[in-house]
Amino acid sequence: VRTILGWVASALCVVIIVIALVISIMTITRTTGEKGVANVAGNAFMPVQTDSMEPTFDKGDLIITKIYEGDGTDLQVGQVITYKARVNNGGTLVEIFKTHRISEITNTNGTLRFTVIGDNPNPEDGASGKDFVYVDSIVATWGSPASLNADGTFNVTKDSMGKNMGKIG
């Protein structure tokens, strides 16, 4: 019995190490892909780094997104997207990935602009917590669109992929 338990424990440790290694490699190499993310069969592993999408995702979750190749016409209000955003980091503009939900789509002379906001907007993101995104900045999509409530909030439920697995990366 002791020998069998030793084998099971060893096998479990190997599996955990392999999973952690794969997630770490995906996270480290995500900046080397075509859209800035590692493409694994059309998907990208994205660690959630803030609580701006709670209750949909918690900080530290790992979501599996679908690399976006479209022209924006297939996206809908309520869709979760990951996009590249420029933020000021101590006087230097740096490019980061943000994952938020589309709250409005406008078409001006054939140019689509997406207004996005987190499910749990952070006042530090500005007065409204909204960003404006164009198709060329969209990296990936996740899940199905959530329905928009009359008060401008979304009907979302707790849902995540890889609970706390983003912390491993």
Side-chain angles (χ1 to χ4, degrees), residues 2-144:
R2 185 176 274 167
T3 303
I4 292 172
L5 288 176
W7 288 344
V8 170
S10 295
L12 186 60
C13 287
V14 168
V15 168
I16 290 171
I17 290 170
V18 168
I19 290 171
L21 183 61
V22 167
I23 291 171
S24 296
I25 289 170
M26 294 300 179
T27 303
I28 292 167
T29 62
R30 72 182 185 160
T31 58
T32 62
E34 179 183 325
K35 289 196 163 215
V37 295
N39 185 340
V40 180
N43 297 303
F45 296 87
M46 304 296 292
V48 177
Q49 298 178 1
T50 69
D51 63 357
S52 69
M53 284 299 290
E54 288 182 356
T56 309
F57 311 120
D58 290 329
K59 182 178 181 177
D61 287 354
L62 182 73
I63 58 174
I64 301 172
T65 61
K66 181 173 173 51
I67 302 284
Y68 186 69
E69 303 288 340
D71 62 0
T73 57
D74 57 331
L75 297 176
Q76 302 173 28
V77 169
Q79 181 78 44
V80 174
I81 63 170
T82 298
Y83 58 97
K84 292 180 184 178
R86 291 181 173 252
V87 296
N88 187 342
N89 184 12
T92 304
L93 283 179
V94 294
E95 201 169 67
I96 64 168
F97 294 107
K98 286 186 171 184
T99 300
H100 286 151
R101 193 176 299 278
I102 297 172
S103 63
E104 183 181 356
I105 302 172
T106 55
N107 186 338
T108 306
N109 300 325
T111 301
L112 292 175
R113 183 179 86 165
F114 302 89
T115 305
V116 297
I117 189 166
D119 292 346
N120 179 26
N122 184 346
E124 293 176 8
D125 291 339
S128 67
K130 295 181 180 180
D131 279 339
F132 302 101
V133 179
Y134 294 92
V135 175
D136 58 346
S137 297
I138 298 173
V139 174
T141 61
W142 180 88
S144 301

Side-chain angles (χ1 to χ4, degrees), residues 77-78 101 103 117-119 121 146-156:
V77 169
R101 193 176 299 278
S103 63
I117 189 166
D119 292 346
S147 57
L148 183 64
N149 298 320
D151 63 357
T153 61
F154 289 96
N155 185 21
V156 296

